[in-house]
Amino acid sequence: MCYVISSFCYKRFQLRFEHSIMDKAWVHLNRVDPGYERGASKFVRDVASAMGGVDVIVCPCIDCRNIVRHSASVVLDHLVTRGMEEGYKMRADWYVHGELNTEVADESKGSEWNDEIYGLFRAAECFDEELAGMGNLSDMAEGEDKKEDEFLAKLADAETPLYPSCSSHSKLSAIVSLFRLKTQNGWSDKSFNDLLETLPDMLPEENVLHTSLYDVKKFLKSFDMGYEKIHACGNDCCLFRKRFKKLDKCPKCKASRWKTNVHTGETKKGVPQKVLRYFPVIPRLKRMFRSEEMAKDLRWHFTNKSSDGKLRHPVDSVTWDHMNAKYPTFADEARNLRLGLSTDGFNPFNMKNSMYSCWPVLQVNYNLPPDLCMKKENIMLSLLIPGPHQPGNSIDVYLEPLIDDLNTLWSIGEVTYDALTRSALTLKAMLLWTISDFPAYGNLAGCKVKGKMGCPLCGKNTESMWLKFSRKHVYMGHRKGLPPTHSFRGKKKWFDGKVEQGRRGRILTGTCKAD
């Protein structure tokens, strides 16, 4: 019934365009050309008028992609500042906006939509695949509802008691506890598999514990808890992915991708020198919106900014306001995410005499309230960079897969189901800042943090002194921060043998202020 109504209304929508082909010459002009803006303005007026003077129309810009609706003024702004989506620009017809490249009867030229027909069209448009363009919103929501039901079914299965009368462990908690023991004690996959085969016989009947490591991994994978293994060059030159995926040697240093048998010198093909573990961030960010409570918490920042000028959360910072002003379209959607990235090295073997350095890369979600955003369950492990040596300035090589996903979330977005509103959105995210100690800051930012010019703020003006016998640089410019008349400025012997006449540098506030 809905399809019949929609087809009828869509036919009337066609007739409103008087079987003419829209002028498309303007889309191929440079966006700074006044003709482009005139053409875009006429296009928006024609579409709004053809749909009965509605307030909102489908936006065909490269970001909205004929999925999101905006007011006519916003659509015009998007077309001028971003441009029309390339695929839609090249079509012979703009079917989402009522034009078909076919002829209609001449007698239909003067037909108009009355209020009743327009109401029917508005009621049925979501059911018409042709009108929905790149994706039927109703079908999308229905599909996401099915996925939501499947996910809830998985959660219910995971929360099943280990056996009927068990109150201490669910199916999921038992598996996670066993996996923790495996990791902490270095059990082999074979020993863990043997344990899983033995335990069900020791448990009461009707227990739900998996009996093989394969089944356990498959179960965890269904919650997007898996990770990707990406082979890396032993000298940190590249990752064997994308165009390097099938290579056996590093294209830069020519080192073998595979380990070599120490005794025979033979290459062990299939056993990589280094393996990067990447935990994809997009599925996990999308999964957060599947929980109504979490989806509500992810909007907290939008309405809880401090009004007294005190910083209680990053939302109160200068950086946050600066980015909102610079990217207003991003800021208008409360569900878009602001992320922080943190990394540092540690010894996973807990031995001081071992020089192994493993680098985890963590992500923090600052959309959440202050009591949740720094909890360990909400801090996501994104990358596990292998040792035994720290990646140093080559850390950018290992960050590639994460940066690719972050670029996707920033420029294109991901269609995500929001359980709170039961609707789909194009989720976007930005990386606001990084959190690290000073040496790691040098690796991430690519600036000098040691040596003669060790201050990234002072640069060439860094007050440094080389200690001949200690063979290291020290930095003695601390007295610049004192008042001009302070007595310490004149005490040569107490410090570096010089009178301090320099001026203090800019004060670090912990926020990035626009120049």
Coordinates of all heavy atoms in Angstrom, one line a residue, residues 297-306 311-328 330-340 364-370 373 430-433 510-514:
D297 N 25.0 8.9 27.2 CA 26.2 9.5 27.8 C 27.1 10.1 26.8 O 27.8 11.1 27.1 CB 27.0 8.4 28.5 CG 26.4 7.9 29.9 OD1 25.6 8.7 30.4 OD2 26.6 6.8 30.3
L298 N 27.1 9.6 25.6 CA 27.9 10.2 24.5 C 27.4 11.6 24.1 O 28.1 12.3 23.3 CB 27.9 9.2 23.3 CG 28.7 8.0 23.5 CD1 28.5 7.0 22.3 CD2 30.2 8.3 23.6
R299 N 26.3 12.0 24.5 CA 25.7 13.3 24.2 C 26.0 14.3 25.4 O 25.6 15.5 25.3 CB 24.2 13.3 24.0 CG 23.8 12.5 22.7 CD 22.3 12.3 22.7 NE 21.7 11.9 21.5 CZ 21.7 10.6 21.0 NH1 22.3 9.7 21.7 NH2 21.2 10.4 19.9
W300 N 26.6 13.8 26.5 CA 26.8 14.6 27.7 C 27.4 16.0 27.4 O 27.0 17.0 28.0 CB 27.6 13.8 28.7 CG 27.8 14.5 30.0 CD1 27.0 14.5 31.1 CD2 28.9 15.4 30.3 NE1 27.6 15.3 32.1 CE2 28.7 15.9 31.6 CE3 30.0 15.9 29.6 CZ2 29.6 16.8 32.2 CZ3 30.9 16.7 30.2 CH2 30.7 17.2 31.5
H301 N 28.5 16.0 26.6 CA 29.2 17.2 26.4 C 28.4 18.3 25.8 O 28.8 19.5 26.0 CB 30.4 16.9 25.5 CG 30.0 16.6 24.1 ND1 30.0 17.5 23.1 CD2 29.5 15.5 23.5 CE1 29.5 17.0 22.0 NE2 29.2 15.8 22.2
F302 N 27.4 18.0 25.1 CA 26.6 19.0 24.3 C 25.9 19.9 25.2 O 25.6 21.1 24.8 CB 25.6 18.2 23.4 CG 25.2 19.0 22.2 CD1 26.2 19.4 21.2 CD2 23.9 19.5 22.0 CE1 25.8 20.1 20.1 CE2 23.5 20.2 20.9 CZ 24.5 20.5 20.0
T303 N 25.5 19.5 26.4 CA 24.6 20.3 27.3 C 25.2 20.6 28.6 O 24.5 21.1 29.5 CB 23.2 19.7 27.4 OG1 23.4 18.3 27.9 CG2 22.5 19.6 26.1
N304 N 26.5 20.2 28.9 CA 27.0 20.3 30.2 C 28.3 21.1 30.3 O 29.2 20.8 31.1 CB 27.3 18.9 30.8 CG 26.0 18.2 31.1 OD1 25.5 18.3 32.2 ND2 25.5 17.4 30.2
K305 N 28.4 22.1 29.4 CA 29.6 22.9 29.4 C 29.5 23.8 30.6 O 28.5 24.3 31.0 CB 29.7 23.8 28.1 CG 30.9 24.7 28.0 CD 30.9 25.4 26.7 CE 32.1 26.3 26.5 NZ 33.4 25.7 26.6
S306 N 30.7 24.1 31.3 CA 30.8 24.9 32.5 C 30.4 26.3 32.1 O 30.8 26.9 31.1 CB 32.2 24.8 33.1 OG 32.3 25.7 34.1
L311 N 37.5 24.9 34.4 CA 37.7 23.7 33.6 C 37.5 22.5 34.4 O 38.3 22.2 35.3 CB 39.0 23.8 32.9 CG 39.2 22.8 31.8 CD1 40.3 23.4 30.8 CD2 39.7 21.4 32.3
R312 N 36.3 21.8 34.2 CA 36.1 20.5 34.9 C 36.1 19.3 33.9 O 36.1 18.2 34.4 CB 34.7 20.6 35.5 CG 34.5 21.7 36.5 CD 33.1 21.7 37.1 NE 33.0 22.7 38.2 CZ 32.7 23.9 38.0 NH1 32.5 24.4 36.8 NH2 32.6 24.8 39.0
H313 N 36.2 19.6 32.6 CA 36.1 18.6 31.6 C 36.7 19.3 30.3 O 36.7 20.5 30.2 CB 34.7 18.2 31.3 CG 34.5 17.1 30.4 ND1 34.5 17.3 29.0 CD2 34.4 15.7 30.5 CE1 34.3 16.1 28.4 NE2 34.3 15.2 29.3
P314 N 37.3 18.5 29.4 CA 37.9 19.1 28.2 C 36.9 20.0 27.4 O 37.3 20.8 26.6 CB 38.3 17.9 27.4 CG 38.7 16.9 28.4 CD 37.7 17.1 29.5
V315 N 35.6 19.7 27.6 CA 34.6 20.5 26.9 C 34.7 22.0 27.3 O 34.2 22.9 26.5 CB 33.1 20.0 27.1 CG1 32.7 20.3 28.6 CG2 32.1 20.6 26.2
D316 N 35.2 22.3 28.5 CA 35.4 23.7 28.9 C 36.6 24.3 28.5 O 36.9 25.5 28.8 CB 35.4 23.7 30.5 CG 34.1 23.0 31.1 OD1 33.1 23.2 30.5 OD2 34.3 22.3 32.1
S317 N 37.5 23.6 27.7 CA 38.8 24.2 27.3 C 38.6 25.1 26.1 O 37.7 25.1 25.3 CB 39.7 23.0 26.9 OG 39.3 22.4 25.8
V318 N 39.7 25.9 25.9 CA 39.8 26.8 24.7 C 39.9 26.0 23.4 O 39.3 26.4 22.4 CB 41.0 27.7 24.9 CG1 41.2 28.6 23.6 CG2 40.9 28.6 26.1
T319 N 40.6 24.9 23.4 CA 40.7 24.1 22.2 C 39.4 23.6 21.7 O 39.1 23.6 20.5 CB 41.6 22.8 22.5 OG1 42.9 23.3 23.0 CG2 41.8 22.0 21.3
W320 N 38.5 23.1 22.6 CA 37.2 22.6 22.3 C 36.4 23.7 21.6 O 35.8 23.5 20.5 CB 36.5 22.1 23.5 CG 35.3 21.2 23.3 CD1 34.1 21.6 22.7 CD2 35.2 19.8 23.5 NE1 33.3 20.5 22.6 CE2 33.9 19.4 23.2 CE3 36.1 18.9 24.1 CZ2 33.5 18.1 23.3 CZ3 35.7 17.6 24.3 CH2 34.4 17.2 23.9
D321 N 36.4 24.9 22.2 CA 35.7 26.0 21.6 C 36.3 26.4 20.2 O 35.5 26.7 19.3 CB 35.7 27.2 22.5 CG 34.9 27.0 23.8 OD1 34.0 26.2 23.7 OD2 35.1 27.7 24.8
H322 N 37.6 26.4 20.1 CA 38.2 26.7 18.9 C 37.9 25.8 17.8 O 37.6 26.2 16.6 CB 39.8 26.7 19.1 CG 40.6 26.9 17.8 ND1 40.5 28.1 17.1 CD2 41.4 26.1 17.2 CE1 41.3 27.9 16.0 NE2 41.9 26.8 16.1
M323 N 37.8 24.5 18.0 CA 37.5 23.5 17.0 C 36.0 23.6 16.7 O 35.6 23.4 15.5 CB 37.8 22.1 17.5 CG 39.3 21.9 17.8 SD 40.3 22.2 16.4 CE 40.0 20.9 15.3
N324 N 35.1 23.9 17.6 CA 33.7 24.1 17.3 C 33.5 25.2 16.4 O 32.7 25.2 15.5 CB 32.9 24.3 18.6 CG 32.7 23.0 19.4 OD1 33.0 21.9 18.9 ND2 32.1 23.1 20.5
A325 N 34.3 26.3 16.6 CA 34.1 27.5 15.8 C 34.7 27.3 14.4 O 34.2 27.8 13.4 CB 34.9 28.7 16.4
K326 N 35.7 26.4 14.3 CA 36.4 26.2 13.0 C 35.6 25.2 12.2 O 35.5 25.3 10.9 CB 37.8 25.6 13.2 CG 38.6 25.5 12.0 CD 40.1 25.2 12.3 CE 40.9 25.1 11.1 NZ 42.3 24.8 11.4
Y327 N 34.9 24.2 12.8 CA 34.1 23.2 12.1 C 32.7 23.2 12.7 O 32.3 22.3 13.4 CB 34.8 21.8 12.3 CG 36.2 21.8 11.8 CD1 37.3 21.8 12.7 CD2 36.5 21.8 10.4 CE1 38.6 21.8 12.3 CE2 37.8 21.8 10.0 CZ 38.8 21.8 10.9 OH 40.1 21.8 10.5
P328 N 31.9 24.2 12.4 CA 30.5 24.3 13.0 C 29.6 23.1 12.6 O 28.8 22.7 13.4 CB 30.0 25.6 12.4 CG 30.8 25.9 11.2 CD 32.2 25.3 11.5
F330 N 30.4 20.0 12.0 CA 30.8 18.9 12.9 C 30.2 19.1 14.3 O 29.7 18.2 14.9 CB 32.3 18.7 12.9 CG 32.8 17.6 13.8 CD1 33.0 16.4 13.2 CD2 33.0 17.8 15.1 CE1 33.5 15.3 14.0 CE2 33.5 16.8 15.9 CZ 33.7 15.5 15.4
A331 N 30.3 20.3 14.8 CA 29.9 20.6 16.2 C 28.4 20.6 16.4 O 27.9 20.3 17.5 CB 30.4 22.0 16.6
D332 N 27.6 20.8 15.3 CA 26.2 20.8 15.4 C 25.6 19.4 15.7 O 24.5 19.3 16.3 CB 25.6 21.3 14.1 CG 25.7 22.8 13.9 OD1 26.0 23.4 14.9 OD2 25.6 23.3 12.7
E333 N 26.3 18.3 15.4 CA 25.9 17.0 15.7 C 26.4 16.5 17.0 O 27.7 16.3 17.2 CB 26.3 16.0 14.6 CG 26.0 14.6 14.8 CD 24.5 14.3 15.2 OE1 23.6 14.4 14.3 OE2 24.2 14.1 16.4
A334 N 25.6 16.4 18.0 CA 26.0 16.1 19.4 C 26.7 14.7 19.5 O 27.5 14.5 20.4 CB 24.9 16.2 20.4
R335 N 26.4 13.8 18.6 CA 26.9 12.5 18.6 C 28.3 12.3 18.0 O 28.9 11.3 18.1 CB 25.9 11.5 18.0 CG 24.6 11.4 18.8 CD 23.5 10.7 18.0 NE 23.0 11.5 16.9 CZ 22.0 11.1 16.1 NH1 21.4 10.0 16.3 NH2 21.6 11.9 15.1
N336 N 28.7 13.3 17.3 CA 30.1 13.2 16.7 C 31.1 13.2 17.8 O 30.9 13.9 18.9 CB 30.4 14.4 15.8 CG 29.7 14.3 14.5 OD1 29.3 13.2 14.1 ND2 29.4 15.4 13.8
L337 N 32.2 12.4 17.7 CA 33.1 12.1 18.8 C 34.3 12.9 18.8 O 34.9 13.2 17.7 CB 33.5 10.6 18.7 CG 32.3 9.6 18.7 CD1 32.8 8.2 18.5 CD2 31.5 9.7 20.0
R338 N 34.8 13.3 20.0 CA 36.1 13.9 20.1 C 37.0 12.9 20.9 O 36.7 12.5 22.0 CB 36.0 15.2 21.0 CG 35.6 16.4 20.2 CD 34.1 16.5 20.1 NE 33.7 17.8 19.6 CZ 32.4 18.1 19.3 NH1 31.5 17.1 19.4 NH2 32.1 19.3 18.9
L339 N 38.2 12.6 20.3 CA 39.0 11.6 20.8 C 40.4 12.1 21.2 O 40.9 13.1 20.7 CB 39.2 10.5 19.8 CG 37.9 9.8 19.2 CD1 38.3 8.9 18.1 CD2 37.1 9.1 20.3
G340 N 41.0 11.4 22.1 CA 42.4 11.7 22.5 C 43.2 10.5 22.3 O 42.7 9.3 22.4
V364 N 41.0 7.7 24.1 CA 40.1 8.2 25.1 C 38.9 9.0 24.4 O 39.2 9.8 23.5 CB 40.8 9.2 26.1 CG1 39.8 9.6 27.2 CG2 42.0 8.5 26.7
N365 N 37.7 8.7 24.8 CA 36.5 9.3 24.3 C 36.1 10.4 25.2 O 35.6 10.2 26.3 CB 35.4 8.2 24.1 CG 34.3 8.7 23.3 OD1 34.0 9.9 23.2 ND2 33.6 7.8 22.6
Y366 N 36.2 11.7 24.7 CA 35.9 12.8 25.6 C 34.5 13.3 25.4 O 34.1 14.3 26.1 CB 36.9 14.0 25.2 CG 38.3 13.8 25.7 CD1 39.3 13.6 24.8 CD2 38.6 13.7 27.0 CE1 40.6 13.3 25.2 CE2 39.9 13.5 27.5 CZ 40.9 13.3 26.6 OH 42.1 13.1 27.0
N367 N 33.6 12.6 24.7 CA 32.2 12.9 24.7 C 31.6 12.5 26.0 O 30.5 13.0 26.4 CB 31.5 12.1 23.6 CG 31.6 12.8 22.3 OD1 32.7 13.4 21.9 ND2 30.6 12.8 21.5
L368 N 32.2 11.5 26.7 CA 31.6 11.0 28.0 C 31.8 11.9 29.1 O 32.7 12.8 29.1 CB 32.3 9.7 28.3 CG 32.0 8.5 27.3 CD1 32.9 7.3 27.6 CD2 30.6 8.1 27.3
P369 N 31.0 11.8 30.2 CA 31.1 12.6 31.4 C 32.5 12.4 32.0 O 33.1 11.4 31.8 CB 30.0 12.1 32.3 CG 29.0 11.4 31.4 CD 29.8 10.9 30.3
P370 N 32.9 13.3 32.9 CA 34.3 13.2 33.5 C 34.4 12.0 34.3 O 35.6 11.5 34.5 CB 34.4 14.5 34.3 CG 33.0 15.0 34.5 CD 32.2 14.6 33.2
C373 N 34.9 9.1 31.2 CA 35.8 9.1 30.1 C 37.1 8.5 30.4 O 37.8 8.0 29.5 CB 35.9 10.5 29.5 SG 36.7 11.7 30.6
M430 N 36.8 13.3 15.5 CA 38.1 14.1 15.3 C 39.0 13.8 16.4 O 38.6 13.4 17.5 CB 37.8 15.6 15.2 CG 37.4 16.2 16.5 SD 37.6 18.0 16.6 CE 36.5 18.6 15.3
L431 N 40.3 13.8 16.1 CA 41.3 13.6 17.1 C 41.8 14.9 17.6 O 42.4 15.7 16.9 CB 42.5 12.8 16.5 CG 43.7 12.4 17.5 CD1 43.1 11.4 18.5 CD2 44.8 11.9 16.7
L432 N 41.4 15.2 18.9 CA 41.7 16.6 19.4 C 43.1 16.8 19.9 O 43.7 17.8 19.6 CB 40.8 16.8 20.6 CG 39.4 17.4 20.4 CD1 38.6 17.6 21.7 CD2 39.5 18.7 19.6
W433 N 43.7 15.8 20.6 CA 45.0 15.9 21.1 C 45.6 14.6 21.4 O 45.0 13.6 21.4 CB 45.0 16.8 22.3 CG 43.9 16.6 23.2 CD1 43.6 15.4 23.8 CD2 42.9 17.6 23.7 NE1 42.4 15.6 24.6 CE2 42.0 16.9 24.5 CE3 42.7 18.9 23.4 CZ2 40.9 17.5 25.1 CZ3 41.7 19.5 24.0 CH2 40.8 18.9 24.8
G510 N 48.1 24.4 28.9 CA 47.6 23.1 28.7 C 46.6 23.0 27.6 O 46.0 22.0 27.3
T511 N 46.3 24.1 26.9 CA 45.3 24.2 25.8 C 46.0 24.8 24.6 O 47.0 25.5 24.7 CB 44.1 25.0 26.2 OG1 44.5 26.3 26.5 CG2 43.4 24.4 27.4
C512 N 45.5 24.4 23.5 CA 46.1 25.0 22.2 C 45.3 26.2 21.8 O 44.1 26.1 21.4 CB 46.0 23.9 21.1 SG 46.6 24.4 19.5
K513 N 45.9 27.3 21.8 CA 45.2 28.6 21.5 C 45.5 29.0 20.1 O 46.7 28.9 19.7 CB 45.5 29.7 22.5 CG 44.5 30.8 22.5 CD 44.8 31.7 23.7 CE 43.7 32.8 23.9 NZ 43.9 33.6 25.1
A514 N 44.5 29.4 19.3 CA 44.8 29.8 18.0 C 45.6 31.1 17.9 O 45.5 32.0 18.7 CB 43.4 30.1 17.2

